[in-house]
């Protein structure tokens, strides 16, 4: 008899290692989920399929207390045997309020269909992105330079200016229509990244012109996000300088860079392609209400 169960991915070493083996080939398109798993985050769950004495991982997902879900599933397997897995996922998400589902498109579509069938929520907004990668280069490289402009790792001394830019970025690129910002939560997240040294800036002596952050990092790559140039400073090469320097950091650490960009943002797509990024897949964010 076949059945499925959902358990914390870190419940025991055997399940944890199975989950690591499952997600490892897909780290580039599920970087943040992979990082949560590597850090043994208690909000990461394994979807286990059992048949007799055989146990396998058919999916993993992160589900935060705030209702953010990051899924990745073995879709070819689910197409054949998804009924009993679907029932387990329905039981898990019943009564939970989900804010958004974010990840590789086919996995997001599969889970969104299940969430809708629960019946207590509907889709507020759906956004489509392109996943891109700049592969690790064989030789170490130096980042691009512009006279009078510096690239540096931000500290708490830069927090107020960076936070102002981050809020502008969220309003422009992230926030769903009709939804208000939770400033304390955004400030907490920014301070967390600053403490870890994950936010970078391109600046003159007096002003930060462009910022970006490393949202996740695995053994093989870094996930770049929050790339934002002040409106009056755009089309001057500062975002390109940022990307070239982040690529340099990753390459010199033996890692590739990955990101996802809104499929409607032609200017950003062009920038990333000019700096060596190539399309590797589709990413989707579904906001629920």
């Amino acid at each position: 008899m076949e059945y499925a169960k959902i358990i914390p991915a870190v419940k025991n070493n055997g399940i944890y290692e199975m989950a690591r083996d499952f997600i490892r080939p897909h780290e580039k398109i599920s970087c943040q989920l992979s990082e949560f798993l590597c850090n043994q985050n208690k909000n990461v769950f394994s979807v286990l399929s059992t048949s007799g004495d055989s146990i396998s991982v058919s999916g993993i997902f992160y589900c935060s207390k705030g209702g953010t879900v990051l899924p990745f599933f073995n879709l070819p397997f689910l197409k054949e045997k998804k009924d009993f897995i679907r029932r387990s996922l329905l039981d898990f998400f019943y009564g939970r309020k989900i804010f958004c589902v974010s990840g590789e498109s086919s996995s997001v579509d599969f889970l969104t269909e299940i969430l809708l069938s629960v019946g207590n929520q509907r889709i507020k907004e759906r956004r489509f992105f392109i996943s891109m990668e700049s592969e690790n280069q064989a030789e170490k490289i130096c980042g691009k330079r512009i006279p009078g402009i510096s690239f540096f790792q931000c500290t708490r001394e830069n927090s107020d200016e960076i936070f102002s830019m981050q809020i502008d970025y969220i309003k422009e690129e992230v926030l769903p229509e009709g939804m208000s910002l939770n400033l304390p939560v955004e400030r907490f997240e920014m301070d967390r990244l600053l403490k870890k040294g994950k936010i970078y800036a391109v600046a003159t002596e007096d002003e930060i012109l462009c910022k970006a952050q490393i949202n996740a990092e695995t053994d093989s790559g870094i996930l770049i996000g929050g790339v934002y140039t002040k409106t009056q400073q755009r089309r001057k090469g500062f975002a390109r300088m940022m990307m070239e320097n982040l690529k340099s950091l990753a390459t010199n650490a033996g890692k590739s860079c990955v990101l996802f960009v809104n499929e409607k943002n032609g200017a950003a797509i062009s920038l990333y392609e000019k700096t060596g990024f190539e399309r590797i897949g589709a990413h989707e964010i579904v906001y629920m209400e």
Side-chain angles (χ1 to χ4, degrees):
M1 179 179 178
E2 295 179 321
Y3 65 95
K5 59 181 177 180
I6 298 171
I7 66 170
V10 298
K11 184 174 182 179
N12 63 59
N13 289 337
I15 299 300
Y16 173 72
E17 291 302 326
M18 288 172 61
R20 290 274 285 140
D21 290 341
F22 172 82
I23 201 64
R24 191 173 286 113
H26 312 288
E27 280 188 351
K28 294 176 181 179
I29 56 174
S30 56
C31 196
Q32 195 158 40
L33 175 59
S34 298
E35 183 189 62
F36 284 140
L37 179 62
C38 290
N39 292 340
Q40 301 195 22
N41 188 295
K42 65 181 181 179
N43 293 317
V44 179
F45 297 87
S46 291
V47 183
L48 302 180
S49 304
T50 65
S51 179
D53 295 331
S54 175
I55 300 176
S56 62
V57 176
S58 56
I60 65 172
F61 62 89
Y62 165 83
C63 183
S64 74
K65 292 180 179 179
T68 294
V69 183
L70 312 177
F72 187 83
F73 297 105
N74 179 352
L75 268 300
F77 174 82
L78 293 180
K79 286 180 180 178
E80 295 180 6
K81 304 179 179 182
K82 74 178 188 180
D83 286 345
F84 65 94
I85 294 174
R86 178 188 175 92
R87 286 195 297 270
S88 293
L89 289 167
L90 278 168
D91 290 341
F92 181 89
F93 285 103
Y94 183 81
R96 294 176 186 257
K97 185 173 178 60
I98 302 303
F99 168 63
C100 73
V101 185
S102 176
E104 184 271 331
S105 287
S106 57
S107 293
V108 169
D109 290 344
F110 173 74
L111 186 57
T112 300
E113 178 189 349
I114 290 173
L115 293 175
L116 291 174
S117 68
V118 171
N120 62 338
Q121 287 188 271
R122 62 180 182 176
I123 294 174
K124 178 180 179 66
E125 187 175 340
R126 202 167 206 149
R127 295 186 183 181
F128 301 94
F129 301 82
I130 299 167
S131 295
M132 307 185 78
E133 178 195 18
S134 178
E135 291 187 348
N136 174 28
Q137 300 180 18
E139 298 180 358
K140 291 187 176 184
I141 60 174
C142 296
K144 181 179 179 180
R145 297 182 181 181
I146 298 176
I149 307 297
S150 62
F151 167 81
F152 61 89
Q153 186 180 55
C154 294
T155 67
R156 290 185 177 181
E157 292 181 1
N158 312 114
S159 62
D160 289 342
E161 190 171 4
I162 288 293
F163 186 62
S164 176
M165 294 177 70
Q166 178 67 3
I167 294 305
D168 290 339
Y169 163 77
I170 293 171
K171 289 178 179 178
E172 186 173 316
E173 295 288 339
V174 179
L175 198 67
E177 185 177 349
M179 187 172 291
S180 59
L181 270 169
N182 189 325
L183 292 178
V185 169
E186 298 299 338
R187 186 74 190 216
F188 175 84
E189 177 61 16
M190 189 204 71
D191 287 342
R192 183 185 70 83
L193 290 173
L194 280 173
K195 187 177 180 179
K196 290 186 172 183
K198 299 293 187 180
I199 302 180
Y200 293 85
V202 167
T204 64
E205 289 186 0
D206 303 316
E207 180 187 12
I208 293 177
L209 310 170
C210 178
K211 50 82 61 178
Q213 60 205 42
I214 296 176
N215 284 331
E217 186 169 358
T218 66
D219 292 340
S220 61
I222 64 171
L223 174 64
I224 298 171
V227 182
Y228 182 80
T229 304
K230 289 181 177 177
T231 305
Q232 66 273 24
Q233 301 295 347
R234 294 176 182 177
R235 301 188 182 280
K236 297 180 182 180
F238 301 134
R240 182 163 186 167
M241 179 179 173
M242 171 67 75
M243 298 309 297
E244 293 285 6
N245 278 276
L246 289 174
K247 281 178 58 181
S248 175
L249 289 177
T251 294
N252 296 341
K255 302 185 179 187
S256 63
C257 291
V258 294
L259 54 82
F260 53 89
V261 54
N262 194 307
E263 65 177 14
K264 297 179 181 179
N265 193 339
I269 294 169
S270 177
L271 165 68
Y272 299 142
E273 289 178 337
K274 288 177 181 177
T275 53
F277 283 82
E278 297 181 350
R279 304 179 187 215
I280 59 170
H283 188 100
E284 195 172 334
I285 300 178
V286 177
Y287 294 95
M288 306 293 291
E289 64 178 2

